[in-house]
Every structure is written in structure tokens, then in C-alpha cells.
């Protein structure tokens, strides 16, 4: 029996055991399997282990997507987390290669995946408050948002959760250094039933603007 003789339900079940690359490779073998690859029912879950995976064409974004995770565990995460004004030219060149990848990808998710229920972002140092606010507005069924080591996330994301995250039940903002204790208190007051976790976020040193030349020296002078 040839694989193409299986019915649609069996083919979807078979594809479900394959990773994204294997699904794409199998789909290339004939139009029937390509059609199965493009079935939204095959793609309720998406997990990415590096930012470069976001640029591939081995997955499908559709209203069927329910769970999305982008977890980047790389030494480059540390570089991306450095404040922009402190980065060397070499560090800036590293970041420029993927600076907009997550934001651009999440904007596509906003357009195509309104039924998203769970999002996990870890090590996404360039994801912005504006992008997360858009996600909260465009995905009204979002119930869980887990952020870890996202250096550009600030209290503005907490305010967006209070304003737009009506269905949100769980929010994690772990190791997000620009989230403050005051912002967390305001969110807890606005959304007392929200399961809110912020490991070490309010205890970390937030980003600082560079001091004007001579400022530090002036502070040392006797008054």
C-alpha cells in the first residue's frame, strides 16, 4: 500500500509525528502530500529553538494555531540583552542580523492567528512592548503569556495586559530587567485574578541612559 492511498485523517496523523523539516521534505514528494502539509489542522502547535527557524518555509501560520513558543538559548542572547548604547560595533553587527526577526514574525501571527491561546518567548531580547501590545489586541483568546529574559519588555507591556488581556489567566515576566516593582503592583491591582509571576525582574538593574560627558565628574565635586 502506497502512502498516498491513506485517507486524509491517517495522513494528518502520520505527519503529526514528524518535525517541521521532515514534514516539508515529505510534502515535496507529491501534490497530495503538499496539500496535507498546508492543512491548518496540522499546525495547532509551533515551537522554535532559534531565531533563524522563523525565516524557514517549513511551517504554516493559520487560525488553527493555539500554542507558540520561541525559546532561544544561545550565547548571542547575552549580546542582544546588552543595552544598545553599550554595545561595540561588532556586537551591534551581530544583533543587526536578527534584530527585527521576532517582531516581524509576531506581527504575522497577529494577522493570521487570532485564536492563539498560549505564547512563550525566551531569550528574545529585541521583542518590544508595542509588538506585545499588538499581540494582546489581535489575539483576544490569549490565556497564557510567558516571557523570560526579554530585555526590552517594560511596564508598558504590563499596562497593555491590563488594558487588552481580558482573557489572560497567566503572565510570566521572568528576568525581564526593565519591569519594575511599581508596574507589577499596578497590574496586580488592576487584574487581581491574574496568575502573575516575575522571578527576579524587579530585582534586576534596569537599563540606564548614558550620562552626559562630565556628569559623573561633577557629582564627585564638593558642593
Amino acid at each position: 500500500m502506497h502512502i498516498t492511498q491513506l485517507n486524509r485523517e491517517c495522513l494528518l496523523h502520520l505527519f503529526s509525528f514528524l518535525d517541521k523539516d521532515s514534514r516539508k521534505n515529505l510534502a515535496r514528494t507529491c501534490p497530495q502530500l503538499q496539500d496535507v502539509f498546508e492543512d491548518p489542522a496540522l499546525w495547532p502547535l509551533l515551537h522554535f529553538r532559534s531565531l533563524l527557524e522563523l525565516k524557514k518555509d517549513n511551517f504554516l501560520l493559520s487560525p488553527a494555531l493555539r500554542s507558540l513558543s520561541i525559546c532561544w538559548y544561545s550565547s548571542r542572547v547575552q549580546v542582544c540583552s546588552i543595552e544598545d548604547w553599550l554595545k561595540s560595533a561588532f556586537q551591534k553587527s551581530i544583533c543587526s542580523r536578527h534584530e527585527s526577526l521576532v517582531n516581524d514574525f509576531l506581527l504575522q501571527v497577529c494577522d493570521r492567528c487570532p485564536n492563539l491561546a498560549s505564547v512563550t518567548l525566551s531569550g528574545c531580547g529585541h521583542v518590544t512592548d508595542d509588538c506585545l501590545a499588538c499581540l494582546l489586541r489581535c489575539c483576544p483568546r490569549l490565556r497564557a503569556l510567558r516571557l523570560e529574559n526579554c530585555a526590552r519588555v517594560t511596564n508598558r507591556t504590563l499596562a497593555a495586559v491590563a488594558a487588552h488581556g481580558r482573557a489572560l489567566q497567566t503572565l510570566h515576566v521572568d528576568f525581564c530587567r526593565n519591569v519594575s516593582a511599581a508596574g507589577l503592583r499596578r497590574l496586580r491591582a488592576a487584574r487581581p485574578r491574574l496568575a502573575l509571576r516575575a522571578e527576579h525582574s524587579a530585582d534586576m538593574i534596569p537599563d540606564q541612559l548614558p550620562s552626559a560627558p562630565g556628569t559623573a565628574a561633577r557629582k564627585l565635586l564638593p558642593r
Side-chain angles (χ1 to χ4, degrees), residues 15 18-25 27-28 34 36-40 42-62 65 67-70 101 104-106 108-109 112-113:
F15 266 76
L18 304 177
D19 60 27
K20 295 190 291 293
D21 283 332
S22 298
R23 292 177 184 183
K24 182 65 176 180
N25 290 335
R28 289 193 178 108
Q34 177 66 32
V36 175
F37 175 85
E38 295 174 355
D39 191 327
L42 184 62
W43 303 99
L45 310 172
L46 279 175
H47 177 64
F48 300 93
R49 293 180 177 84
S50 81
L51 301 192
L52 293 180
E53 290 184 19
L54 303 178
K55 301 174 69 175
K56 293 185 176 182
D57 63 349
N58 60 356
F59 60 89
L60 182 73
L61 292 177
S62 77
L65 184 63
S67 178
L68 169 67
S69 66
I70 304 172
L101 276 180
D104 291 346
F105 179 80
L106 289 178
Q108 293 182 53
V109 170
R112 305 180 192 178
C113 311

Side-chain angles (χ1 to χ4, degrees), residues 118-139:
S118 175
V119 173
T120 298
L121 303 175
S122 179
C124 299
H126 294 294
V127 70
T128 64
D129 293 318
D130 289 340
C131 188
L132 293 173
C134 181
L135 186 72
L136 288 161
R137 289 193 302 269
C138 296
C139 302

Side-chain angles (χ1 to χ4, degrees), residues 133-171:
C134 181
L135 186 72
L136 288 161
R137 289 193 302 269
C138 296
C139 302
R141 295 178 177 84
L142 192 64
R143 296 195 301 271
L145 178 59
R146 299 177 178 89
L147 307 173
E148 179 186 57
N149 194 19
C150 295
R152 294 193 180 184
V153 170
T154 74
N155 291 342
R156 290 178 57 206
T157 289
L158 305 185
V161 168
H164 308 296
R166 296 175 182 85
L168 205 65
Q169 300 172 2
T170 300
L171 175 66

